[in-house]
Amino acid sequence: MDCAATGDSIAVGISQAMGCRSFARIGASSKQIADAHQMVRGDSVIISAGTNDPRNPRLGENLRIIRSQVQGERIVWILPYDRSAAKVV
C-alpha cells in the first residue's frame, strides 16, 4: 500500500509512524499547506490541517484547496483538537 501524508506536525508524526511519504511541515497553518501547491497522491492519503489556525475565518476555503491537491483511493482527515476547527474539517 502506498501512503502519503500532508499537513502539519500531526501529519509529520503519522507519516513517520506509518512509513508514509511526507508532504507535511511542523507548525504549518492551513494557508501555508494550501499555498504549497503540492499534488499529493497515494492509495491512502492522510490530511491534518487546522490545528495551528483553528480561528482562521478562511479555514474552510483553505481545506477545500488542500483537498483539491490530493488524489487517493482513501482520504483520511485528522480532526483538530479544537472543536470549532474540527467542525469545519
Side-chain angles (χ1 to χ4, degrees):
M1 173 179 76
D2 175 47
C3 65
T6 187
D8 54 30
S9 61
I10 295 169
V12 170
I14 289 172
S15 68
Q16 291 172 349
M18 295 182 64
C20 298
R21 289 175 291 115
S22 178
F23 299 87
R25 205 176 89 227
I26 294 171
S29 68
S30 63
K31 179 167 177 25
Q32 291 170 327
I33 299 163
D35 286 350
H37 302 292
Q38 292 179 313
M39 183 53 74
V40 179
R41 294 179 177 94
D43 295 334
S44 295
V45 179
I46 299 153
I47 304 169
S48 177
T51 297
N52 296 315
D53 57 341
R55 303 282 184 255
N56 181 345
R58 298 184 68 149
L59 179 58
E61 179 181 336
N62 292 337
L63 295 175
R64 283 187 286 282
I65 293 168
I66 294 166
R67 179 60 182 93
S68 74
Q69 299 169 350
V70 170
Q71 292 180 346
E73 290 181 34
R74 286 177 300 275
I75 309 298
V76 177
W77 287 86
I78 305 300
L79 294 178
Y81 179 76
D82 183 274
R83 289 195 186 270
S84 62
K87 286 180 184 179
V88 176
V89 172

